[in-house]
Amino acid sequence: MAKIIVFPFSLLFAFLSIFGIYLPKPEADINKEEWKTNYSYVFVHGLMGWGEYDAQYKLMPYWGMFGGELLGKLEKEGYNCYAASVAGTASAWDRACELYAQLTGTVVDYGKAHSEEHSHERFGEDFTGRALIPAFDSENKINLLGHSFGGATMRLFASLMAVGSEAERAVTPEDEISPFFTGGKADYIYSLTALSAPHNGTTAYSAPAEDKDTAAYDMYIDNAMKLNESIVTDENTYYFSIACSATTKQEDGTYKADKKIMEGMFQSSADEMGAYTGVTVGGYEFGEEWLENDGLVNTFSAKAPTSAPSKDYEEGNVTAGIWNIMPVYRGDHMSLQGGMMKANLQVYELYLNHFDMINSL
């Protein structure tokens, strides 16, 4: 069974100035006169990723890498973009708490109930005076984008903003609880876009991790689906998913890596995932629909949470409160962040078109 691959990104940092490739002039058809909003765009990285608070971002931006820093180029087109920095291997809960502190310029509060259950410190880094964005409230909404496990992070974040946590409210004095856990803030978020995110888990893991407060635990199919049950879909928020595929169906029904577009480090994982069906520890049967993948995430899983309402995206007919599934993107797991050694120069146009659509809703 395929195992998740953690790439030593630190080996790449020193080479940005040598191998940087710049994106071409965008060809997207943008009409700013049709925009109805222009809220900030906050990007949430995936497993082992990094953002603006991390020193390596200046040397090697997670969003762009060898294709050139993506967010700065989007800024030049009139979009305010920010890259959050959450823990590389932590659970969706811990990462969501860190995201809240960065957006509000406060101390990270992992919650009294959660921290006691998982035996770690309740409070983390202090972001007072260095908030990620200038303002964050119902008037200054945000559009969230989450790549890979950043998708689960932003979904749980948005759910806690909407309804809070009953478990935290039950054990925390009213004058001590973080506003993050009290709910009532769904209108702070305008849209969510999941980028190659394992909504329902991934078959890159063959068994659940023992430590329950980790990304590895949350991405096992049974645990991902359990997490889904705790996440609400707000009726007034727009939801989008972009799944990737970089495999090709074979005559025997299995899927193998398309080596022309897939990073070499993902190819063996893609082949194993493309031939793996079975039953999880919890009894969930994953069949042939799970075979197509991007090297780390199954295309089926990245389309939408099975527990939430969803439909295929229709131009001019975007519905709030439901996952709008965008056309499957032909690329590997890293293609939507701009690629790694295979720089994806075309992804810039994808974001321009997507943001133009969101601003015009």
Side-chain angles (χ1 to χ4, degrees), residues 42-290:
V42 176
F43 290 68
V44 184
H45 63 74
L47 187 73
M48 299 300 292
W50 58 95
E52 293 182 31
Y53 290 99
D54 302 305
Q56 63 262 41
Y57 194 87
K58 293 181 179 179
L59 297 173
M60 173 64 69
Y62 181 87
W63 304 97
M65 290 194 182
F66 291 154
E69 207 274 328
L70 177 63
L71 272 56
K73 292 176 172 57
L74 292 170
E75 288 265 358
K76 292 179 181 178
E77 296 299 326
Y79 304 104
N80 298 315
C81 300
Y82 304 88
S85 303
V86 290
T89 60
S91 64
W93 178 281
D94 284 2
R95 288 160 58 102
C97 295
E98 292 165 2
L99 178 59
Y100 178 80
Q102 291 174 18
L103 291 172
T104 56
T106 56
V107 177
V108 177
D109 185 348
Y110 297 109
K112 183 177 182 347
H114 179 86
S115 58
E116 290 178 355
E117 178 183 357
H118 297 286
S119 302
H120 66 62
E121 294 292 329
R122 174 178 169 181
F123 298 103
E125 190 170 351
D126 186 354
F127 292 94
T128 302
R130 54 194 187 105
L132 184 65
I133 57 179
F136 180 44
D137 52 37
S138 59
E139 296 296 320
N140 299 280
K141 305 176 192 289
I142 60 171
N143 297 293
L144 283 164
L145 296 97
H147 174 248
S148 192
F149 193 59
T153 304
M154 71 168 187
R155 288 195 298 119
L156 181 56
F157 169 83
S159 183
L160 288 169
M161 289 291 290
V163 299
S165 168
E166 185 175 344
E168 295 300 334
R169 292 193 294 268
V171 301
T172 314
E174 194 171 319
D175 62 347
E176 187 183 307
I177 192 166
S178 167
F180 187 39
F181 304 128
T182 59
K185 305 175 190 64
D187 58 353
Y188 284 34
I189 301 169
Y190 190 67
S191 74
L192 280 74
T193 300
L195 308 168
S196 192
H199 293 303
N200 309 296
T202 169
T203 57
Y205 290 98
S206 59
E210 293 183 8
D211 187 346
K212 295 182 179 181
D213 201 26
T214 62
Y217 181 87
D218 285 343
M219 284 194 286
Y220 181 68
I221 292 176
D222 289 340
N223 302 330
M225 292 191 171
K226 184 178 180 181
L227 179 64
N228 287 344
E229 294 173 1
S230 70
I231 294 177
V232 302
T233 304
D234 178 68
E235 63 180 6
N236 297 312
T237 303
Y238 292 102
Y239 297 85
F240 304 94
S241 265
I242 305 176
C244 290
S245 173
T247 52
T248 303
K249 190 174 184 178
Q250 307 298 298
E251 291 185 1
D252 62 0
T254 63
Y255 282 75
K256 288 190 177 297
D258 182 342
K259 296 182 179 180
K260 293 181 181 179
I261 62 173
M262 184 177 286
E263 299 281 354
M265 59 180 285
F266 299 142
Q267 291 175 12
S268 63
S269 176
D271 290 349
E272 291 181 36
M273 293 171 67
Y276 182 55
T277 58
V279 181
T280 66
V281 173
Y284 176 81
E285 185 175 351
F286 52 98
E288 294 180 358
E289 71 276 13
W290 283 76

